[in-house]
Amino acid sequence: MAVTAEKALALMQGAHERGRLAHAFLISGPGGSGKRALAAQVIRMVNPPPDPGGANLFGEEEAEPELPPLEDLEGEFVRIVRPQSRSRRIKVEQIRELEHAFQMAAPAATWKVGVVVDADRMWDEPSNAFLKTLEEPPPGCLILLLTSQPELLLPTIRSRCVDLVLQSTGRTEPLEGEEREGFS
């Protein structure tokens, strides 16, 4: 059953608060369903930004900072894998780099997050390399697979993830650089 991105976030927040957050989620839905925004919210949920102190210079409560786009959250403990090259495929080298990042040490209470955008673009070799990480995830790691075509993923990958199907919001997600080039 498809849910809104807000409902999916609420479910994940509840699991996180109870210490029961799964290690891997397959977030699927049509373009415009909010997959990338949900991934950004989940990253902020598990690795919140430092608290600025609550009040501004005039003693007024500070507004919660605006959620940056998913791509702006990439950093030392957040890795984003997306299709590259003219073939628009995710390559095995990208998966191995993600797995290596998961093996690195992180400060206490900091999650290592891997987001695979357009996960359906992982074909045989990258998918098989990725299975080991899904089967035996390092502690403190969270994997978010984003796709509009989950049926193209290997059944063994789908079976190791919590499936979150998002409803369409009626909006369209902007195309990324290489996606735009295909329509030029």
Side-chain angles (χ1 to χ4, degrees), residues 86 175-184:
R86 287 300 227 197
L175 297 176
E176 291 190 341
E178 291 177 355
E179 291 174 315
R180 278 194 303 266
E181 291 173 10
F183 291 101
S184 301

Side-chain angles (χ1 to χ4, degrees), residues 81-95 116-124 126 178:
V81 175
R82 61 182 59 80
Q84 293 183 342
S85 77
R86 287 300 227 197
S87 65
R88 296 247 329 112
R89 292 188 181 154
I90 294 173
K91 298 182 176 191
V92 70
E93 295 82 20
Q94 293 172 272
I95 297 302
V116 182
V117 177
D118 295 333
D120 54 277
R121 303 301 297 179
M122 256 190 313
W123 292 13
D124 292 343
E178 291 177 355

Side-chain angles (χ1 to χ4, degrees), residues 58-167:
F58 303 105
E60 300 165 340
E61 284 293 316
E62 287 286 325
E64 192 170 310
E66 190 174 306
L67 184 69
L70 176 62
E71 291 72 20
D72 290 354
L73 295 174
E74 189 166 18
E76 185 177 4
F77 302 111
V78 176
R79 300 298 169 109
I80 301 174
V81 175
R82 61 182 59 80
Q84 293 183 342
S85 77
R86 287 300 227 197
S87 65
R88 296 247 329 112
R89 292 188 181 154
I90 294 173
K91 298 182 176 191
V92 70
E93 295 82 20
Q94 293 172 272
I95 297 302
R96 290 195 175 119
E97 288 173 12
L98 176 63
E99 291 171 338
H100 179 71
F102 279 166
Q103 299 302 325
M104 304 306 285
T110 299
W111 287 70
K112 296 172 277 185
V113 182
V115 180
V116 182
V117 177
D118 295 333
D120 54 277
R121 303 301 297 179
M122 256 190 313
W123 292 13
D124 292 343
E125 191 177 9
S127 291
N128 289 325
F130 193 59
L131 276 172
K132 184 174 190 263
T133 300
L134 279 174
E135 290 169 350
E136 301 171 22
C141 290
L142 177 63
I143 301 167
L144 304 173
L145 303 175
L146 312 181
T147 182
S148 58
Q149 300 180 33
E151 67 279 0
L152 296 180
L153 289 168
L154 291 177
T156 49
I157 288 179
R158 292 194 318 257
S159 70
R160 286 165 175 77
C161 299
V162 173
D163 196 20
L164 290 173
V165 181
L166 301 184
Q167 297 174 349

Side-chain angles (χ1 to χ4, degrees), residues 41 51 76:
Q41 289 172 311
D51 186 8
E76 185 177 4

